[in-house]
Amino acid sequence: LLSPEVGKICTVQFFSWIGVMSLNIFFTQYVIHVLYQVPDLTQIPQEFQSTYDALVMSGQNFSSICFAAFNLVCFVIAIPIGKLAERFGNKKVHFVSLLLMAVAYVLLTFLPNMISTVAAMALAGIGWASILALPFAMLSRYIKEGTEGSVMGIFNIFIAAPQILVCTVLAWFINISTTTINNMPNNHYEYAFLVGAFMLLLACASTLTIKED
C-alpha cells in the first residue's frame, strides 16, 4: 500500500507537526509567562492573582499580533513558495523552509523580547506555508491509483498523533519545569521551542532522504 517514499514523507510530517504544535499550543503561554513575566497563577495566593489581569490581557493581545504576522507571511508566501518548488524541487524548498522555521524557534528561545518575537513568528510563517502545501505535493507523486483514500487516511495519522504527543508528553515536561523567576514560581515555556526546533531539524534530515525527480 505504501511505497518507501510515502513512508519517508509521513516521517517528515510527523516531526514537522510536533514542531508546529509546539508553537501553536504553547506560544501564548510563552508570551504571558516569559515575555511579560507573569508567574504561574495557580501557585500564588488568590488575592494576588487579580493584580496580573492587565499583564495577562496585554500578553494575549501581543500573542494575537504575533500570530497575525505568522499567518500573514504564510498567506503572502504561499504562491511564491509554489513557484520556487516548481523551479528547484519540492524537497529542496521544503528543507529550507523547515530550517528557517527551526531558526525562528531558536530566536524565540534565546532572544525573548518583543521585536525578535514578532520577527521570529514572521519567519516561522515561511515554514508553516511549506508544511501546508509541499508534503501533499510530494505525496501525490507516489500514491498508487485506487489507494488515494487509504493513503491519505494513514497520512493524516502522522498529523494527528503529533498533536496528541505535544498535548500530553510535552505539556507534562513543561509542567515539571517549574522554577523561580523574579522570586515567583513559573514554567519555562521556551523549552517547547527547543523541542520544536529539534523536531524540525529531524524533519529536515528526513526530507533529504526523499527521492525526487
Side-chain angles (χ1 to χ4, degrees):
L1 179 62
L2 297 180
S3 71
E5 303 313 309
V6 170
K8 294 173 185 177
I9 298 168
C10 286
T11 302
V12 172
Q13 279 292 82
F14 179 78
F15 291 132
S16 299
W17 276 87
I18 291 179
V20 168
M21 298 313 297
S22 297
L23 181 74
N24 287 352
I25 293 175
F26 296 108
F27 180 76
T28 299
Q29 297 302 315
Y30 162 82
V31 170
I32 292 171
H33 296 291
V34 177
L35 289 187
Y36 282 80
Q37 296 289 294
V38 175
D40 184 352
L41 298 180
T42 65
Q43 298 189 46
I44 66 174
Q46 185 73 35
E47 60 268 23
F48 294 119
Q49 294 183 14
S50 60
T51 62
Y52 291 98
D53 287 347
L55 276 178
V56 170
M57 181 64 70
S58 296
Q60 291 172 339
N61 291 338
F62 182 70
S63 175
S64 297
I65 292 171
C66 292
F67 271 114
F70 176 74
N71 287 301
L72 177 62
V73 171
C74 175
F75 172 76
V76 170
I77 206 72
I79 294 177
I81 209 169
K83 296 296 183 181
L84 289 171
E86 289 177 4
R87 180 172 180 179
F88 299 106
N90 294 319
K91 182 173 77 172
K92 291 180 181 177
V93 174
H94 195 51
F95 172 84
V96 172
S97 300
L98 293 178
L99 189 60
L100 291 175
M101 197 173 195
V103 170
Y105 282 31
V106 173
L107 290 176
L108 289 172
T109 303
F110 296 106
L111 291 176
N113 61 67
M114 303 295 182
I115 295 175
S116 65
T117 297
V118 174
M121 285 295 282
L123 186 62
I126 298 174
W128 181 225
S130 184
I131 289 170
L132 289 176
L134 298 189
F136 297 93
M138 289 187 282
L139 183 69
S140 65
R141 300 185 179 187
Y142 297 104
I143 299 179
K144 297 177 182 178
E145 186 176 354
T147 65
E148 294 87 353
S150 299
V151 172
M152 288 306 299
I154 294 171
F155 192 59
N156 284 333
I157 291 174
F158 292 88
I159 297 175
Q163 299 181 49
I164 297 171
L165 288 173
V166 171
C167 290
T168 54
V169 178
L170 186 53
W172 169 81
F173 174 70
I174 291 175
N175 190 51
I176 65 172
S177 71
T178 302
T179 58
T180 300
I181 301 176
N182 293 337
N183 297 318
M184 298 292 280
N186 215 335
N187 291 325
H188 288 275
Y189 287 94
E190 68 273 19
Y191 290 173
F193 306 135
L194 281 178
V195 173
F198 179 68
M199 292 297 164
L200 288 168
L201 290 177
L202 290 179
C204 287
S206 300
T207 300
L208 293 178
T209 67
I210 299 169
K211 294 179 181 178
E212 187 176 51
D213 295 334

